[in-house]
Amino acid sequence: DTAVSQTPKYLVTQMGNDKSIKCEQNLGHDTMYWYKQDSKKFLKIMFSYNNKELIINETVPNRFSPKSPDKAHLNLHINSLELGDSAVYFCASSPPSGVSTDTQYFGPGTRLTVL
Amino acid sequence: GENVEQHPSTLSVQEGDSAVIKCTYSDSASNYFPWYKQELGKRPQLIIDIRSNVGEKKDQRIAVTLNKTAKHFSLHITETQPEDSAVYFCAARTWGYGNKLVFGAGTILRVKS
């Protein structure tokens, strides 16, 4: 009954590989997000989707490509992984418009280590 | 765009004392200010939030105050307990930009017993 879930929890891979992280929410929320938390714990938004439509796209290398097959899922694909991509990636979601679009609920995070 | 500064970066208090963490924001159009607590290896979890039409909000030992004129908001934790030890993040959201939250850099709170 986990609200926002991510897989995998840990991901260790070599430089140059391509990897994906999956996120699912069962809260009925319209909006989903990807955040990156670096080694200094700084949390920065990368992308946001509302009803499968991209609405926030921060300055992120185009090696990162989000995909939302439906409003309950937001996946993150990363091509040609680099050492600097090592971080914890959090998925989050927030309720539909008109209810409250404020509170964001975070998933458990995926710790990505690029060797 | 919005910029959020958070102080202090680390805070040590004795169990039972109060802790105060302060944040300032740059965009006067920001209208929502949540606080998240993140324990080691865990996800950030919302502990309290405040909207721009309110000056103060309390929830048991936790309170948040907002000064819109000065563009700063603060988290107050009273009667701290060891389980309050964590990293605390403030954030600000400007309406109309996809519910984008801009986070402060975080405060490591250590409660010594």
Side-chain angles (χ1 to χ4, degrees), chain B residues 20-36:
Chain B
V20 180
I21 303 171
K22 298 182 180 182
C23 288
T24 59
Y25 60 98
S26 60
D27 189 344
S28 56
S30 287
N31 59 4
Y32 173 65
F33 307 92
W35 286 88
Y36 283 83

Side-chain angles (χ1 to χ4, degrees), chain A:
Chain A
D1 59 342
T2 305
V4 183
S5 59
Q6 293 178 229
T7 54
K9 189 167 173 60
Y10 300 97
L11 189 49
V12 181
T13 188
Q14 300 286 333
M15 263 196 313
N17 284 351
D18 302 339
K19 290 293 177 186
S20 292
I21 307 171
K22 295 187 175 183
C23 178
E24 176 181 1
Q25 54 91 7
N26 62 4
L27 296 167
H29 289 171
D30 279 5
T31 309
M32 296 184 72
Y33 313 80
W34 278 111
Y35 286 87
K36 179 180 180 181
Q37 186 170 46
D38 61 24
S39 56
K40 293 183 178 171
K41 301 292 186 189
F42 191 67
L43 262 171
K44 191 171 189 326
I45 190 163
M46 301 171 68
F47 302 103
S48 174
Y49 271 74
N50 182 265
N51 270 321
K52 303 192 297 175
E53 183 183 342
L54 180 66
I55 54 171
I56 296 175
N57 185 352
E58 291 294 286
T59 312
V60 177
N62 57 16
R63 298 182 294 104
F64 290 78
S65 51
K67 278 201 171 54
S68 182
D70 55 61
K71 72 175 192 175
H73 296 84
L74 179 62
N75 304 324
L76 183 65
H77 188 76
I78 316 170
N79 288 328
S80 304
L81 278 155
E82 300 177 358
L83 292 175
D85 297 332
S86 295
V88 180
Y89 292 84
F90 286 100
C91 176
S93 70
S94 62
S97 306
V99 174
S100 164
T101 55
D102 298 333
T103 305
Q104 294 187 19
Y105 298 87
F106 283 78
T110 296
R111 181 175 293 278
L112 171 65
T113 304
V114 182
L115 304 174

